[in-house]
Amino acid sequence: MRKSGVKMHKVLLIIIMLCVSTMFAITYDGLTEYLEENTDMTTRRIKEVLDGIYEQLKVIETKYSVTIAPEIMVSIMMIETNGRNVLGDNGHSIGYFQLQFQAIWYTWEFFPELKKDLDANKLLSNPKYQAQLATSYLFLMYRNTDYDLHKAIERYNGGGDPNYLSKYITYYKQILIWNKI
């Protein structure tokens, strides 16, 4: 009984966050300021990452009529690397969003316009492209879970961290508070 109550609590928090994010849009500048204060990212890198997120969100909205708040992607980046462009998981996870090639190849099936000849070094050197891929991948997880954001966020991580959703909620709330929402 307790387990279902915790799950319901998480679902309600996500619903509330989605309602808040659609009522009070966090601006590009607000996310820029948040990242400038809470990461070691350069202004140029922040711009590249946010441009990638925002541009891919427009593609998704146009192609699939689905809207995803950009702060969701920033929250995921913060969980994954705290704004660092690194190799993780013994070199299997790459960049700000810790993408794995298996996820990239899957994303290419649905977003062939993103397909490029690349390796880990090329991916590390292109934060905008990382953000486009990560945003598309989260969307695919969202769609594959019948638009259940809770499940999509857990699947983004591969389900390996039982606390992933709680970490996401923590960063998401931090971004809302930072932007005085």
Side-chain angles (χ1 to χ4, degrees):
M1 189 69 159
R2 177 165 161 62
K3 189 174 184 177
S4 65
V6 171
K7 187 174 183 177
M8 181 57 84
H9 176 54
K10 288 179 182 179
V11 170
L12 288 173
L13 279 173
I14 288 173
I15 291 169
I16 291 167
M17 288 187 299
L18 286 173
C19 291
V20 169
S21 69
T22 55
M23 288 171 38
F24 306 101
I26 296 175
T27 65
Y28 184 101
D29 290 342
L31 288 173
T32 299
E33 291 172 14
Y34 171 80
L35 291 171
E36 286 174 341
E37 288 296 319
N38 292 285
T39 70
D40 292 329
M41 296 172 73
T42 65
T43 302
R44 187 180 119 243
R45 289 293 177 140
I46 291 170
K47 181 180 179 346
E48 290 171 333
V49 166
L50 291 179
D51 285 353
I53 292 169
Y54 276 84
E55 286 177 24
Q56 202 59 28
L57 289 174
K58 285 180 188 172
V59 168
I60 290 165
E61 188 169 3
T62 300
K63 192 172 181 178
Y64 296 100
S65 299
V66 173
T67 303
I68 298 172
E71 58 270 18
I72 292 171
M73 293 310 304
V74 172
S75 298
I76 288 173
M77 180 184 70
M78 295 301 288
I79 297 166
E80 293 292 341
T81 64
N82 206 31
R84 292 176 299 138
N85 194 20
V86 296
L87 290 175
D89 299 325
N90 296 317
H92 295 286
S93 298
I94 304 164
Y96 291 103
F97 298 90
Q98 292 297 280
L99 294 164
Q100 295 188 355
F101 278 106
Q102 185 176 5
I104 294 169
W105 298 326
Y106 178 71
T107 301
W108 285 347
E109 289 180 38
F110 299 92
F111 295 91
E113 67 276 11
L114 292 177
K115 194 169 188 176
K116 292 183 180 184
D117 180 34
L118 61 94
D119 59 26
N121 289 327
K122 287 180 185 174
L123 189 56
L124 279 171
S125 68
N126 194 336
K128 180 178 178 179
Y129 184 58
Q130 291 177 40
Q132 290 172 309
L133 287 168
T135 301
S136 297
Y137 184 66
L138 178 69
F139 162 72
L140 291 171
M141 296 300 97
Y142 187 48
R143 189 178 74 171
N144 291 347
T145 59
D146 291 324
Y147 302 96
D148 182 329
L149 187 59
H150 167 208
K151 289 180 183 173
I153 290 167
E154 287 177 335
R155 281 199 185 168
Y156 181 93
N157 178 255
D161 181 354
N163 298 314
Y164 198 79
L165 187 62
S166 295
K167 291 175 186 176
Y168 165 79
I169 290 169
T170 299
Y171 279 111
Y172 194 94
K173 285 186 341 188
Q174 187 181 62
I175 292 168
L176 292 177
I177 292 167
W178 178 265
N179 283 273
K180 297 178 175 82
I181 291 180

